[in-house]
Amino acid sequence: MAAPPHTAGHTDVIVVGAGPVGLLLAGELRLAGAGVTVLEQLTEPTRESRASTLHTRTMEILAERGLLDRLGPLPGGGPGHFGGLPLDLGAAAPGHPHAGQWKCPQSRLEAVLQVWASELGARVRRGHAVTGLRQFDDRVVVSAIELGGQPEQLTASYVVGCDGERSTVRQLAGFDFPGDDGTLEMLRADVAGIDVPDRRFERRPHGLATAHRWPDGTTRIMVHVHGATPGARTGPPAFEEVVAAWAKVTGEDIGHGTPVWLNAFDNTRRQAARYVRGRVLLAGDAAHVQMPVGGQALNLGLQDAAALGRALAAHATGRARGGELDAYHAARHRAGARTLTDIQAQARLLLGGPEVDGLRSVFAELLELDVVRTHLARGISGLRDTGHTPETPEKTRS
């Protein structure tokens, strides 16, 4: 079948997904001179803040692009943890200006990234669902439909799926996505009108409970009942389900509260066999699905975008010498695989019942060793594969 002719809708790169990963990538591509169109199914930016933690390498990336100034002062996120066991992430790079972890609601980060990418010239088209994708030797044709509108076709030199763990792009392009489905589930909610003690991975006979009061007075709670498996639901859990789980684990009634946001996550572990398939690429949760422990999913995705932007722009604008996209796959697939392995270990320590008490005791002893703390903190902080050393952190560009 012959390739269709170029159309007025042709651009260098189509990014599918206007979450933080897609928007950072769009800005990166524009900084490197590539034309970008972002397609997003949601008509409005999300107000949900599934992730709220930024790690050292991500903070560097944002600082290098002037985005920390736009975000304003960010509060520290505390010492961190590994599978619920205390771990000072500052051990990754003592003296580094961004050592540790920092709090920034995902909704705030996404809003800042959209303004930045748009100012650089990225075209963000909301309310557009991707329905088809065809690759040709010199371009990719994307079929999309606007909410309430007519189907249309757009062409680009490359397409990047940044559309999350249920990625349409990944499915349409035929990426292999091996791994394991989740076996243990945690419920998560922001609830207004409740007053419960702050808890940090408090293990109890019937499960695990975490609670943290946000500045606006709502409380983020997370709860796992020992042995609870992912439900058959297709959407978020009912508030009554969260109330029942919280009562079973803590003995407290939060049923009088008002749910602001409800969510469930599990220990699913999957990673695309390759991040590049012809002229279609993946980044963020479209490339890897993992339990969102300590914000690592968001940070891993943002680091994917930062690694991909300039290399892809060079290819899309005809300036590349070859091999850059294979290098992106090799580097980020390796980083993703190591992170998913770390998260698998953390999930076991965090969600296991009494059978993991001995394992937790051994890990707690190991975490008393400087070399262990440094190694694990560098992995979580995104510094393990960057060439940084704890003694001589890399300076960020102003």
Side-chain angles (χ1 to χ4, degrees):
M1 180 172 58
H6 285 287
T7 70
H10 182 83
T11 189
D12 292 324
V13 181
I14 292 174
V15 175
V16 181
V21 174
L23 292 170
L24 179 62
L25 177 60
E28 288 287 285
L29 289 164
R30 288 298 302 136
L31 284 173
V36 185
T37 296
V38 181
L39 300 179
E40 168 57 54
Q41 185 168 341
L42 296 178
T43 57
E44 298 290 339
T46 182
R47 296 182 180 180
E48 299 176 356
S49 289
R50 298 186 179 191
S52 60
T53 300
L54 300 177
H55 295 142
T56 304
R57 178 56 190 147
T58 303
M59 292 287 284
E60 287 183 336
I61 289 167
L62 298 176
E64 289 167 357
R65 291 144 184 85
L67 291 166
L68 284 187
D69 293 336
R70 295 182 181 229
L71 288 168
L74 300 179
H81 70 95
F82 187 88
L85 297 168
L87 171 63
D88 185 356
L89 296 181
H96 193 290
H98 306 305
Q101 60 181 354
W102 306 81
K103 304 303 288 185
C104 178
Q106 182 175 327
S107 55
R108 171 63 178 157
L109 176 62
E110 186 173 311
V112 167
L113 288 172
Q114 176 159 337
V115 171
W116 172 71
S118 297
E119 288 176 353
L120 290 171
R123 186 183 183 194
V124 180
R125 302 181 65 186
R126 290 191 170 272
H128 285 71
V130 171
T131 59
L133 184 153
R134 292 180 294 159
Q135 288 202 62
F136 300 94
D137 290 342
D138 62 344
R139 76 198 78 164
V140 185
V141 178
V142 174
S143 300
I145 186 167
E146 184 177 6
L147 183 65
Q150 297 296 316
E152 60 180 316
Q153 288 192 338
L154 303 91
T155 67
S157 299
Y158 291 89
V159 171
V160 187
C162 300
D163 49 342
E165 60 186 37
R166 295 181 177 86
S167 171
T168 298
V169 171
R170 186 183 67 230
Q171 295 174 39
L172 291 174
F175 283 84
D176 291 332
F177 200 50
D180 301 304
D181 291 333
T183 57
L184 296 172
E185 179 182 69
M186 179 171 273
L187 305 178
R188 179 168 53 176
D190 286 347
V191 185
I194 62 173
D195 184 15
V196 297
D198 275 6
R199 295 181 169 92
R200 184 172 172 81
F201 305 113
E202 184 175 284
R203 290 175 63 82
R204 290 186 164 222
H206 293 294
L208 177 78
T210 289
H212 171 73
R213 180 71 62 88
W214 292 117
D216 66 2
T218 61
T219 300
R220 166 69 58 87
I221 65 170
M222 295 191 294
V223 59
H224 167 70
V225 177
H226 284 323
T229 59
R233 72 182 85 83
T234 57
F239 184 49
E240 292 75 17
E241 188 178 353
V242 178
V243 170
W246 189 260
K248 182 170 185 177
V249 173
T250 69
E252 299 166 354
D253 180 14
I254 60 172
H256 59 282
T258 301
V260 177
W261 174 65
L262 296 161
N263 176 249
F265 60 89
D266 59 44
N267 61 336
T268 295
R269 179 178 183 266
R270 292 189 175 276
Q271 184 180 27
R274 287 194 58 81
Y275 288 11
V276 181
R277 184 176 172 84
R279 290 181 172 269
V280 182
L281 301 92
L282 302 176
D285 285 349
H288 41 75
V289 175
Q290 58 285 305
M291 183 176 169
V293 177
Q296 284 185 265
L298 173 63
N299 286 268
L300 187 63
L302 291 170
Q303 291 160 29
D304 288 345
L308 176 58
R310 294 180 185 275
L312 180 56
H315 276 266
T317 58
R319 294 178 284 110
R321 297 179 180 178
E324 291 90 344
L325 299 186
D326 286 337
Y328 162 72
H329 160 74
R332 295 311 302 166
H333 190 278
R334 180 175 62 250
R338 294 181 69 172
T339 299
L340 265 62
T341 296
D342 285 354
I343 290 175
Q344 185 181 31
Q346 291 196 63
R348 183 65 174 161
L349 292 169
L350 194 62
L351 301 184
E355 75 278 3
V356 303
D357 286 347
L359 189 63
R360 288 176 60 85
S361 295
V362 171
F363 263 84
E365 291 179 5
L366 291 172
L367 283 168
E368 295 178 4
L369 303 175
D370 289 344
V371 65
V372 174
R373 288 196 301 271
T374 298
H375 175 76
L376 295 179
R378 285 174 64 77
I380 293 172
S381 299
L383 301 181
R384 186 160 49 195
D385 300 308
T386 63
H388 294 62
T389 65
E391 297 77 19
T392 56
E394 178 180 281
K395 295 182 180 179
T396 57
R397 299 197 301 266
S398 59

